[in-house]
Amino acid sequence: MPSPTAAAPIRSAAPVRLAVQDDIATLTLDRPDKLNALDYATIDRLMAHLDAIEVDDAVRVVILTGAGDRAFSAGGDIREFSGSVARGPNAAVRDFVRRGQAMTARIEGFPKPVIVAVNGLAFGGGCEITEAAPLAIASDRALFAKPEILLGMPPTFGGTQRLARLAGRKKALALLLTGTRFTADQALALGLVNAVVPHDTLMPAARELAGLIARQSPLAVAAILAAVTRGLNMSIADGLLAESEQFARLVPSRDLAEGLAAWRERREPVFEGR
């Protein structure tokens, strides 16, 4: 692993590229000629990269974006999953649904923050990745849609569940049942993204946010991610218990001692993730 203070070369070929610089890993879906459609190889490569990033202490934040200026991802590769559908329900669920749901669940529950930088179309599975990610910034050129209904099917990567939790049942159903496209500003109003920025400033904005997070204790960041993600599906009482458990795990850590010492000494803390 290159030093976190030095630029690292791109370390993988298509369909997903990985680069690491300054504690930040950037994953780029790299099928621009296919609008970065999520074929099985792309999903599998993305998952493999996340596995490697999880155990890489030099990486503290992940940015996920798409190659080119047209699309973040236009969704699942229809030609490929049509073949799975033709083989029947078992093959379609095994090859397509479970693979896509595992991907979005991995992004949602990842112990390091994933920031999606939506640089263009985010349809279907691309929208579902955005829904699953803890944080997202959209270009003012980004365009979103839940178009699965137009193919005669529901979303299959978690879109029937997460969008309703983010936007509310009625707003989500209006999009899910019509396939209507919606803008970056509408995505912001729905709670799907954190900010909308001019297209040319998208990656700098994502890196700025990533940098703010990377300076914090990795242990505290992971604890917050875990408590929030788990708590969303719990009662408030169970959620508070999860919060307490996450805090208790940090009590003996060097990072918490450093944070308290830095506060007493009126200096910036230096967190090491231990």
Side-chain angles (χ1 to χ4, degrees):
M1 167 63 64
S3 166
T5 60
I10 292 171
R11 299 185 298 180
S12 63
V16 182
R17 290 186 280 115
L18 167 63
V20 178
Q21 184 178 5
D22 299 331
D23 301 335
I24 302 166
T26 300
L27 289 167
T28 305
L29 304 176
D30 194 15
R31 301 183 72 210
D33 57 321
K34 302 293 185 182
L35 298 179
N36 301 319
L38 299 165
D39 64 354
Y40 299 161
T42 298
I43 294 173
D44 293 347
R45 181 65 64 89
L46 177 59
M47 293 284 276
H49 280 318
L50 290 174
D51 288 345
I53 289 168
E54 181 175 1
V55 298
D56 188 342
D57 292 338
V59 174
R60 296 194 175 186
V61 186
V62 180
I63 297 173
L64 177 58
T65 193
D69 289 329
R70 297 176 63 197
F72 166 60
S73 174
D77 189 304
I78 296 175
R79 186 179 300 278
E80 184 175 51
F81 85 73
S82 293
S84 296
V85 170
R87 291 192 293 274
N90 290 338
V93 170
R94 181 190 65 240
D95 296 343
F96 181 62
V97 178
R98 290 178 185 166
R99 182 180 262 108
Q101 289 184 352
M103 173 188 63
T104 53
R106 185 79 165 114
I107 291 169
E108 183 176 53
F110 201 63
K112 301 177 182 183
V114 178
I115 303 169
V116 173
V118 187
N119 56 302
L121 302 179
F123 290 1
C127 192
E128 286 168 307
I129 288 175
T130 308
E131 295 160 16
L135 299 162
I137 298 176
S139 156
D140 56 5
R141 299 182 192 172
L143 190 63
F144 299 81
K146 311 292 295 183
E148 293 89 346
I149 189 71
L150 305 178
L151 299 175
M153 59 180 277
T156 56
F157 293 0
T160 63
Q161 302 303 306
R162 294 189 180 94
L163 185 60
R165 286 168 167 78
L166 287 167
R169 176 171 171 261
K170 287 181 171 59
K171 290 179 181 178
L173 281 171
L175 297 171
L176 291 163
L177 295 175
T178 64
T180 303
R181 298 180 180 188
F182 54 104
T183 66
D185 286 335
Q186 289 172 309
L188 178 63
L190 292 169
L192 188 57
V193 300
N194 296 91
V196 178
V197 299
H199 183 76
D200 291 342
T201 68
L202 175 63
M203 292 307 294
R207 289 194 62 84
E208 180 180 8
L209 177 58
L212 290 173
I213 297 169
R215 292 202 293 268
Q216 312 307 321
S217 163
L219 300 179
V221 168
I224 290 169
L225 288 170
V228 171
T229 302
R230 289 174 55 197
L232 286 173
N233 296 315
M234 295 177 171
S235 68
I236 185 65
D238 289 339
L240 291 172
L241 179 59
E243 181 179 271
S244 177
E245 290 171 348
Q246 292 297 324
F247 168 73
R249 293 175 183 172
L250 297 188
V251 169
S253 71
R254 185 265 178 200
D255 275 5
L256 180 54
E258 165 65 8
L260 296 173
W263 182 86
R264 292 193 299 269
E265 297 163 12
R266 300 297 188 266
R267 60 174 175 81
E268 291 296 318
V270 179
F271 295 118
E272 299 179 359
R274 59 185 178 89

